[in-house]
C-alpha cells in the first residue's frame, strides 16, 4: 500500500486528481465525477471538520466488528461496493470546489504526518494506527480515482 504520509505519493495522488475534468466519466458505478469528489471528501471531513453525526454506540460496535477490517485491510474494494449513507451523494456538486478541497485534504494529511494519526480516533472504528489511517485514505481514494480512469 502506498503511503499517504509520503510527499512523493501525495504528488502522485494530486496529479491523478488534477487529471480529472468535469466531464470525466466513470468506468463503473453511478456517481458522476463531481459526486465522487464530494464522496471521497467525506472521509477527510470526518477527521478534520466534525460535520457528520457520529454513529451510535451500537452502530459503532457493528462497524468495528464487521466493517473495519474491510476498510483498513489490504484487500481492494470490489467495484460497486455498498457505501454508508453519509457517503452517498445525490445531485450536482461543484466540481472545482470539491477537487480543490480534496487536494487540500491530501496535502494536510501528509503535512500532519503519521505521528498525528497514530492512535487517532475514527468516528466509526475507534482508535486506529497510522498504518490503518494510511490504508483507509489511500485505498479509498485509489479505488475512486481508478473508477474514473486516472
Amino acid at each position: 500500500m502506498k503511503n499517504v504520509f509520503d510527499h512523493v505519493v501525495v504528488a502522485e495522488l494530486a496529479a491523478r486528481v488534477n487529471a480529472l475534468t468535469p466531464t470525466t466519466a466513470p468506468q463503473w458505478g453511478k456517481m458522476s465525477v463531481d459526486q465522487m469528489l464530494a464522496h471521497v471528501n467525506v472521509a477527510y471531513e470526518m477527521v478534520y471538520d466534525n460535520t457528520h453525526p457520529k454513529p451510535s454506540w451500537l452502530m459503532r460496535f457493528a462497524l468495528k466488528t464487521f466493517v473495519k477490517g474491510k476498510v483498513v485491510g489490504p484487500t481492494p474494494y470490489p467495484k460497486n461496493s455498498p457505501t454508508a449513507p453519509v457517503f452517498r451523494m445525490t445531485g450536482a456538486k461543484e466540481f472545482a470546489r470539491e477537487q480543490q478541497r480534496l487536494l487540500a485534504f491530501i496535502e494536510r494529511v501528509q503535512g500532519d504526518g503519521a505521528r498525528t494519526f497514530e492512535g487517532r480516533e475514527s468516528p466509526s472504528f475507534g482508535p486506529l494506527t497510522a498504518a490503518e489511517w494510511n490504508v483507509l485514505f489511500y485505498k479509498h481514494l485509489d479505488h475512486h480515482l481508478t473508477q474514473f480512469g486516472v
Side-chain angles (χ1 to χ4, degrees), residues 116-131:
T116 300
F117 284 89
E118 189 61 46
R120 188 176 189 144
E121 185 87 8
S122 160
S124 300
F125 307 123
L128 299 177
T129 66

Side-chain angles (χ1 to χ4, degrees), residues 81-100:
S81 300
T83 191
V86 70
F87 285 88
R88 291 188 191 127
M89 296 296 142
T90 59
K93 307 298 178 193
E94 189 178 325
F95 173 84
R97 177 180 180 274
E98 297 300 335
Q99 184 182 44
Q100 290 308 307

Side-chain angles (χ1 to χ4, degrees), residues 9-82:
V9 172
V10 169
E12 174 192 300
L13 290 170
R16 292 171 70 189
V17 171
N18 281 320
L20 297 166
T21 70
T23 59
T24 303
Q27 297 178 353
W28 74 83
K30 298 175 184 174
M31 285 189 288
S32 61
V33 67
D34 55 303
Q35 290 172 330
M36 178 274 289
L37 291 168
H39 164 87
V40 172
N41 279 329
V42 171
Y44 300 95
E45 290 167 356
M46 289 178 150
V47 170
Y48 289 116
D49 296 343
N50 200 22
T51 57
H52 300 284
K54 295 186 188 222
S56 69
W57 69 270
L58 184 58
M59 177 57 76
R60 190 169 165 168
F61 174 79
L63 290 169
K64 284 169 67 172
T65 305
F66 302 110
V67 178
K68 177 182 174 183
K70 294 175 184 171
V71 172
V72 300
T75 305
Y77 297 129
K79 294 177 181 176
N80 300 311
S81 300

Side-chain angles (χ1 to χ4, degrees), residues 90-149:
T90 59
K93 307 298 178 193
E94 189 178 325
F95 173 84
R97 177 180 180 274
E98 297 300 335
Q99 184 182 44
Q100 290 308 307
R101 289 180 65 231
L102 179 55
L103 291 168
F105 279 136
I106 61 176
E107 288 283 339
R108 185 171 178 185
V109 166
Q110 189 274 319
D112 285 350
R115 283 191 205 137
T116 300
F117 284 89
E118 189 61 46
R120 188 176 189 144
E121 185 87 8
S122 160
S124 300
F125 307 123
L128 299 177
T129 66
E132 289 172 324
W133 279 109
N134 176 65
V135 171
L136 183 151
F137 288 134
Y138 186 82
K139 185 166 82 166
H140 188 228
L141 183 54
D142 180 64
H143 172 79
H144 287 294
L145 292 175
T146 302
Q147 176 187 13
F148 282 82

